[in-house]
Amino acid sequence: MDVLELTRLQFAVVTIYHYFFVPVSISLAATAAGLEIAWLRTGKERYRDLTRFVGKLLIVTFAVGVVTGLVQEFQFGMGWSAFARFYGDVFGPTLAIEGMLAFFLEATFLALWYFGWDRLPRGPHVATIVVVAVGTVLSAFIILAANSFMQNPVAYSLDPVTGRARLDDFGALLFNEVNLAAFPHTLAGAAMAGGSLLLGIGVWRQRHGGEPAHRTLARLGAWLTAAGGALTAVTGDHLGKVITEVQPMKMAAAEALYATTTGAPFSLFALGSPDGGEPFLSIQIPRLLSILAAGDPGATVQGIDDLQAQYTAQYGPGSYVPMIPVAFWSFRLMIGIGMLAAAVAAFHLWSTRKGRPGHPLLPRLLPLIPILPAAANTFGWIFTETARQPWLAFGISRVADGISPGLTRAEVAGSLLGFTVVYGILAVVWLRLIRHLSRQPLAPDPAPAEAAQIPAPVY
């Protein structure tokens, strides 16, 4: 692998690992806020206990997410300084605001919430976790605006003096049509990620002598996963149409569609040559790709060959075709694994309705369900980023032009190895902490005021 390939791999490792924790944090923050509001309104202790438990999961996940997110942002300067230098005025505000939200808003109010139990009045205490939940959503919206610029560059112009891109309209950057489509899709995926974690923990604890509240936790997680799956399908359909409009090559690559086709089919399964050529065996649903791309079964979908000729004339010589096998299969794995997670969650809800114990196989299978939304989210981002190649920012900056000058293979390989080892250690620590918290009883520890009344031992 050359320096460019190693740097791309390094950024992929950092980004994929970071995104394991982002959607879970978003979902857990909203769930903790909802549970505490339910406790405030009903006074039921199981909601209080579940709020504390979900909040502890959130703190552990949020901490790892912040650490890995910092490295991801530093990657722009470490590996992609040419891109950061040229488009820094556009990216800078989004990264700065997202950083302030994460550190000053979310972290501060999460600390107030955690240490405010039995110290703050109930109303203000609920407000702190609501602020955290809102902060995670705002943070996601703003950072997605930066990514949406890479998918569909808007709100910028080139400075005639410096030659650098400058931001013309921050509002237009935030409300990029790609961002408006990707944001709800991301939140739906986050609901699945956090919900599946709660579902897995709840079922696992029920199997190992859990409390009645763990049944509530499992069903709450199942509802989040199933509802998130349904919303993911709806929002993904809209996002696909927007992407087809701004990046037609991406949708063509998702189907390995080489010839422009009217009433284009969608392949459930296909086999082709290793270099990504046209498939020689395919199981297709007629006209489905045209529906996904334009909402019309008779719509014409541009093919890879025509788009390559168009881009060559527009941008100059070169290949504008992404890695077709990666785009093709990551798109299907994203959809298939996400649908499987939602189906399993829905089956759990059906089998445990009206107090039923559930299917006997579920306790053995459901602890593994958090893997499914995490995998679906990962394949979704792999598709989103790799199917945009060779562009770093579509139509204006190629990947090869954005890499930091002077990087050596040894430097990139060494840092990649270091990140991989450290992230592996963090993953083990996070898993052990989640397992430890899941084994603890849901009943809260004695309040500080009560603990203070316990006389100190006399020696």
Side-chain angles (χ1 to χ4, degrees):
M1 300 178 71
D2 59 21
V3 174
L4 177 60
E5 292 171 332
L6 282 170
T7 307
R8 289 180 61 190
L9 178 60
Q10 182 186 69
F11 196 88
V13 168
V14 171
T15 303
I16 289 172
Y17 187 88
H18 172 62
Y19 202 74
F20 285 148
F21 305 98
V22 171
V24 176
S25 295
I26 294 172
S27 181
L28 292 181
T31 303
L35 285 168
E36 188 163 359
I37 291 172
W39 172 48
L40 185 64
R41 291 176 62 87
T42 66
K44 295 181 179 179
E45 292 187 356
R46 74 172 182 271
Y47 292 136
R48 177 202 61 191
D49 298 344
L50 288 174
T51 301
R52 287 179 179 251
F53 172 69
V54 172
K56 291 176 181 178
L57 298 181
L58 169 62
I59 290 171
V60 172
T61 305
F62 179 81
V64 178
V66 167
V67 172
T68 55
L70 280 175
V71 176
Q72 184 189 21
E73 293 190 1
F74 288 150
Q75 281 279 291
F76 283 109
M78 294 162 52
W80 305 95
S81 62
F83 179 78
R85 185 180 301 109
F86 193 74
Y87 295 99
D89 292 344
V90 179
F91 268 63
T94 58
L95 298 181
I97 294 174
E98 193 274 337
M100 288 189 290
L101 281 172
F103 284 106
F104 295 102
L105 183 65
E106 299 166 39
T108 299
F109 280 89
L110 187 57
L112 286 173
W113 176 82
Y114 181 74
F115 293 106
W117 281 99
D118 304 309
R119 290 179 173 87
L120 293 174
R122 284 193 180 183
H125 189 262
V126 171
T128 59
I129 193 64
V130 170
V131 171
V132 173
V134 172
T136 59
V137 172
L138 287 175
S139 180
F141 181 77
I142 292 170
I143 204 66
L144 280 172
N147 181 266
S148 296
F149 175 85
M150 300 172 74
Q151 313 296 332
N152 180 38
V154 296
Y156 80 100
S157 61
L158 295 179
D159 190 310
V161 178
T162 64
R164 298 173 57 185
R166 64 185 179 190
L167 181 62
D168 293 333
D169 187 342
F170 186 61
L173 178 69
L174 290 180
F175 294 102
N176 186 334
E177 62 176 325
V178 174
N179 193 27
L180 294 180
F183 175 63
H185 189 60
T186 300
L187 292 188
M192 294 187 71
S196 64
L197 177 64
L198 299 181
L199 171 58
I201 292 173
V203 170
W204 180 71
R205 281 306 309 270
Q206 285 181 276
R207 183 185 178 191
H208 294 86
E211 305 166 38
H214 282 116
R215 176 182 172 85
T216 303
L217 182 70
R219 286 185 59 82
L220 173 61
W223 274 112
L224 286 171
T225 307
L231 291 173
T232 299
V234 174
T235 57
D237 177 69
H238 175 59
L239 178 59
K241 292 173 173 58
V242 173
I243 289 298
T244 301
E245 180 181 346
V246 299
Q247 291 186 53
M249 179 66 84
K250 180 177 289 187
M251 186 56 72
E255 177 52 26
L257 184 72
Y258 281 82
T260 298
T261 305
T262 299
F266 180 82
S267 302
L268 297 179
F269 178 83
L271 291 177
S273 58
D275 61 357
E278 293 192 48
F280 54 78
L281 173 64
S282 180
I283 302 174
Q284 299 178 335
I285 299 178
R287 301 181 180 272
L288 181 57
L289 183 63
S290 290
I291 296 174
L292 294 175
D296 180 2
T300 298
V301 181
Q302 289 181 282
I304 294 171
D305 291 337
D306 287 344
L307 288 168
Q308 169 63 24
Q310 175 186 325
Y311 290 166
T312 300
Q314 183 175 357
Y315 302 113
S319 174
Y320 299 93
V321 181
M323 295 179 287
I324 300 302
V326 174
F328 183 91
W329 287 111
S330 61
F331 189 70
R332 279 148 186 78
L333 288 170
M334 170 190 67
I335 296 173
I337 295 174
M339 291 177 61
L340 177 61
V344 172
F347 180 68
H348 175 75
L349 289 172
W350 181 82
S351 64
T352 58
R353 69 194 186 281
K354 298 181 180 180
R356 289 178 172 84
H359 195 280
L361 287 178
L362 287 176
R364 297 181 180 273
L365 298 178
L366 283 181
L368 300 177
I369 195 176
I371 298 174
L372 298 180
N377 282 329
T378 298
F379 283 119
W381 276 112
I382 289 174
F383 169 73
T384 298
E385 301 306 307
T386 60
R388 190 183 67 245
Q389 304 302 316
W391 299 109
L392 196 54
F394 184 79
I396 59 175
S397 178
R398 302 190 195 196
V399 173
D401 299 328
I403 193 171
S404 298
L407 280 178
T408 65
R409 292 177 60 188
E411 291 171 340
V412 181
S415 58
L416 173 60
L417 178 61
F419 285 141
T420 303
V421 171
V422 172
Y423 281 4
I425 294 172
L426 282 175
V428 172
V429 170
W430 181 80
L431 287 170
R432 290 180 66 88
L433 286 172
I434 295 297
R435 184 181 181 187
H436 171 75
L437 292 172
S438 301
R439 287 180 167 180
Q440 302 304 306
L442 288 176
D445 299 328
E450 299 171 354
Q453 297 174 4
I454 301 175
V458 178
Y459 295 97

